[in-house]
Structures are given as C-alpha cells and as structure tokens.
C-alpha cells in the first residue's frame, strides 16, 4: 500500500456526506422552486403602496367566490388593522389570501391553517389555506409594526356546511 493513493474508510465517511449534502440542498432548491412554486417576490406581484385603495383587487377588500368551494380573500393591512378583519367561508373551502400593506411591513399568520406570509408595502402576498373544520381561525400580524401591533388581528369564521 503506497502512501497517498489509499482512500481510507474514515476519509470516505467525510467525503461522501460533503458531496451528498450540497447535492441534497440543490435538489431541495429545485423541488421548491419548480415543484412547489416557491419564488422570490416578483415584478408581477407589485402594487403602488400609496394607491392600494384605488388598485384592484384591493379597491374592494373582502371575499369572493371563484368557483364552488374556492374563495379569494383580498385583505389590506395598515397600522394597526386588517380590512376586512372578519371573513366567513363554509367548511371545506379552499381560500387564497391576497394581502398587501399600505404603509409598513406587517405579517399575516392564520392560527390553525398553513398560512404565514410577510406583508410588504408595494408587494402582493398570496397564500392558500384549506378549512375543513368549522370554527374560528384567528389571524394576526406577526411583524412588529408599531405601538399597537398587538391589536392587529382578525379571524376566519368557518361555518358548518350548508
Ligand atoms: Cu402589523 Cu404588527
């Protein structure tokens, strides 16, 4: 056995993971980007934060039914409230939340649903949640946005199916 040409087992135990880990990360990146559609904020999601109230769909905040069981909730965040701060949908609904901010950075997190986004002025955030169980799902601002940040909340009310 000549020195310098042998790959020892314990060397291999370091080399293989150091190749496998970055490859695994690259695969995860590709899967989230192209499979799950996770992207950086893009140009198409922009809105002029000074003209939110005149810009569709935020000129008419609220819930619209896109198809049976599918809803879109347009929500405007500003210090220190969400408009609207109460949303009603029937159980079994899939709701896409479209949220933007008029002023500073806010957050939008729905307790009990898989919805958690940052709400940046100038940017439209989208997140979709499914609501199978009737009940109240509080949503709140989770980015500190000033003195009354803790009062910035609302709720999704999921009604028993008609
Ligand atoms: Cu809005 Cu904290």
């Amino acid at each position: 056995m000549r020195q310098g040409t042998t790959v020892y087992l314990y060397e291999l135990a370091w080399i293989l993971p150091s190749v496998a880990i970055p490859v695994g990360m690259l695969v995860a990146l590709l899967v989230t980007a192209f499979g799950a559609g996770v992207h950086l904020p893009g140009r198409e999601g922009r809105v002029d934060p000074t003209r939110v109230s005149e810009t569709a769909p935020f000129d008419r905040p609220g819930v619209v039914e896109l198809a049976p069981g599918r809803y879109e909730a347009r929500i405007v965040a500003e210090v220190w409230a969400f408009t609207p701060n109460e949303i009603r949908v029937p159980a079994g609904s899939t709701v896409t939340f479209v949220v933007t901010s008029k002023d500073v950075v806010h957050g939008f997190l729905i307790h009990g649903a898989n919805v958690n986004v940052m709400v940046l002025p100038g940017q439209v955030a989208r997140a979709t949640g499914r609501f199978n169980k009737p009940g109240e799902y509080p949503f709140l601002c989770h980015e500190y946005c000033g003195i009354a940040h803790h009062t910035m909340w609302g709720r999704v009310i999921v009604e028993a199916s008609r």
Side-chain angles (χ1 to χ4, degrees), residues 77-82 101 103-108 119 140-146 148-153:
E78 62 192 299
V79 284
W80 289 283
F82 292 106
S101 167
D103 39 42
V104 298
V105 175
H106 297 282
F108 185 76
V119 182
L140 51 89
C141 176
H142 62 73
E143 292 286 340
Y144 182 72
C145 56
H149 157 70
H150 60 285
T151 67
M152 193 166 168
W153 69 284

